[in-house]
Amino acid sequence: MSRKKHRAPTAPKPGPTGAPDVTPDWTKPCEVCGAKPVLRDLGMCGPCTFGESGTAGGNW
Ligand SMILES: [Zn+2]
């Protein structure tokens, strides 16, 4: 008599093409604030890209 909701995980799929490479890149500083790492294809750090301070330090 138990009803469980089945929730399918909705993980974002990396597209084969056109998707930016968001691998943390520690070799260059953020174009905006100079923090590292940056999203490889965007040149900006997590907080500057996402607007979330929790993404600092490659935590995205
Ligand atoms: Zn930044």
Side-chain angles (χ1 to χ4, degrees):
M1 291 277 284
S2 67
R3 281 176 140 189
K4 279 186 182 175
K5 278 188 185 174
H6 182 73
R7 283 202 302 168
T10 55
K13 281 194 277 185
T17 56
D21 184 353
V22 297
T23 305
D25 185 350
W26 294 84
T27 65
K28 52 190 173 186
C30 173
E31 289 175 359
V32 179
C33 71
K36 289 183 184 180
V38 298
L39 282 74
R40 184 163 291 165
D41 274 1
L42 302 179
M44 295 195 301
C45 69
C48 290
T49 302
F50 302 110
E52 303 265 354
S53 61
T55 59
N59 187 31
W60 58 78

